[in-house]
Amino acid sequence: MSGDKPKTYSIKELACDFGVTPRTLRHYEDQGLISPERQGQNRIYSAEDRVRLAWILRGKRVGFSLSEIGEMLDLYDLGDGREKQRAVTAERCRDRIRALEAQRDDINATIEELQEFSELISNLKRDKKKGVWIRRDTGQPLQKYEP
Amino acid sequence: MSGDKPKTYSIKELACDFGVTPRTLRHYEDQGLISPERQGQNRIYSAEDRVRLAWILRGKRVGFSLSEIGEMLDLYDLGDGREKQRAVTAERCRDRIRALEAQRDDINATIEELQEFSELISNLKRDKKKGVWIRRDTGQPLQKYEP
DNA sequence: ACCGAGGTTGACGTTAACGTAAACGTTAAC
DNA sequence: GTTAACGTTTACGTTAACGTCAACCTCGGT
């Protein structure tokens, strides 16, 4: 009735859906990040695999290595479920969060500096007499890094 | 009076100040990211070099490659200062900003998911009868990824 | 004179994350 | 039946960002 054909994907389908190559997916499998089912030899990817892959790729975009991503995915598998183990898992989770927050701060700082700089050079003009660059807003001449 | 000894740094000083190795600094120099002065053979790093290095390392932390960082540093040197060139520079700047903002969104999404998950496993408890995990808050059993 | 602590330049090694190519099997189309 | 389009495994190649090591200089101290 409802779950007749849960929609699966071939390796190439899934790959170009996400803008990567089949080789990449096989590589992720070698690293234990995804384990699609098989029809004979061929890999069959499920909707869950899609979600996992999305996670992996976002992990990559924010700068994690494959093994780090592997660890994080392992967290989702909850280990053996013992209390202690779960406490460790939760703590690792929070570590990651802290690292990500620090990274976000870095990004914000970088954005700000780029923003300032972009505005600076957009507002720059030439003082014909002195042959020097000055800022249209403050009228100040350019300090460091004069061209 | 004011600028007597503008404070310089040896390679090792600067390196451990930033928690990297001298080799790393030489490598960055090979890639054209910093060009310290020389006293004979020895490298002498200035305060400006320090700032540059800080920029480089933050660039790394947010996931840029050395060559990308190189391009960004080149931006600061303003090319030859021609109008067109400066327009290009400013646009590239804004491109970078957009990329960084996208990355920040990714980070935020990842943080949120980790947060949710961390809370989930902290609130998890065992249903002795059924031998299954349920959530302390909702009372719901665990769905996907059961251990 | 000698040593150790710092510096230098090669140059080769390593790791991660794939790319690329070879050699092969399967299925659908012509 | 053969060609094309897909898949498979195995294995070597590549790039980035350094690590590591050798072989050397040079300076202040004892």
Side-chain angles (χ1 to χ4, degrees), chain A residues 10-12 26 43:
Chain A
S10 80
I11 192 168
K12 201 182 182 189
R26 294 197 196 98
R43 280 162 250 255

Side-chain angles (χ1 to χ4, degrees), chain A residues 51-64:
Chain A
V51 175
R52 256 181 117 82
L53 180 56
W55 234 91
I56 295 171
L57 295 179
R58 200 181 54 197
K60 288 227 63 190
R61 289 199 302 271
V62 310
F64 288 122

Side-chain angles (χ1 to χ4, degrees), chain B residues 70-137:
Chain B
E71 289 180 35
M72 298 176 67
L73 286 172
D74 287 347
L75 296 186
Y76 282 89
D77 298 342
L78 279 179
D80 55 4
R82 284 174 307 181
E83 291 291 325
K84 248 190 186 174
Q85 183 60 32
R86 280 176 35 226
V88 172
T89 302
E91 187 48 32
R92 279 194 173 187
C93 235
R94 284 187 285 273
D95 286 349
R96 287 259 169 256
I97 291 177
R98 274 187 287 274
L100 283 169
E101 285 168 343
Q103 197 178 336
R104 188 177 51 187
D105 294 346
D106 277 336
I107 289 187
N108 283 330
T110 307
I111 288 181
E112 261 188 60
E113 284 199 48
L114 281 176
Q115 205 113 47
E116 264 185 53
F117 177 68
S118 146
E119 285 164 18
L120 186 152
I121 62 175
S122 297
N123 284 330
L124 223 49
K125 68 168 182 178
R126 193 87 170 180
D127 183 320
K128 304 277 181 185
K129 304 174 199 169
K130 307 190 180 176
V132 84
W133 292 99
I134 58 178
R135 302 175 60 163
R136 241 184 276 275
D137 47 358

Side-chain angles (χ1 to χ4, degrees), chain B residues 53-64:
Chain B
L53 180 56
W55 233 92
I56 295 171
L57 294 179
R58 199 179 55 197
K60 288 227 63 191
R61 288 200 302 272
V62 309
F64 288 123

Side-chain angles (χ1 to χ4, degrees), chain A residues 3-79:
Chain A
D4 223 358
K5 283 183 181 175
K7 175 65 177 169
T8 60
Y9 307 84
S10 80
I11 192 168
K12 201 182 182 189
E13 262 180 307
L14 192 57
C16 40
D17 273 14
F18 283 88
V20 300
T21 73
R23 167 66 174 131
T24 300
L25 297 189
R26 294 197 196 98
H27 181 58
Y28 291 168
E29 187 172 349
D30 287 346
Q31 308 299 319
L33 303 183
I34 25 176
S35 337
E37 281 157 36
R38 300 287 185 124
Q39 263 184 22
Q41 289 236 292
N42 295 24
R43 280 162 250 255
I44 303 295
Y45 295 88
S46 69
E48 235 186 54
D49 290 328
R50 261 190 88 99
V51 175
R52 256 181 117 82
L53 180 56
W55 234 91
I56 295 171
L57 295 179
R58 200 181 54 197
K60 288 227 63 190
R61 289 199 302 271
V62 310
F64 288 122
S65 72
L66 291 190
S67 64
E68 287 174 318
I69 294 172
E71 290 181 34
M72 298 176 65
L73 286 174
D74 286 348
L75 295 187
Y76 282 88
D77 297 342
L78 279 180

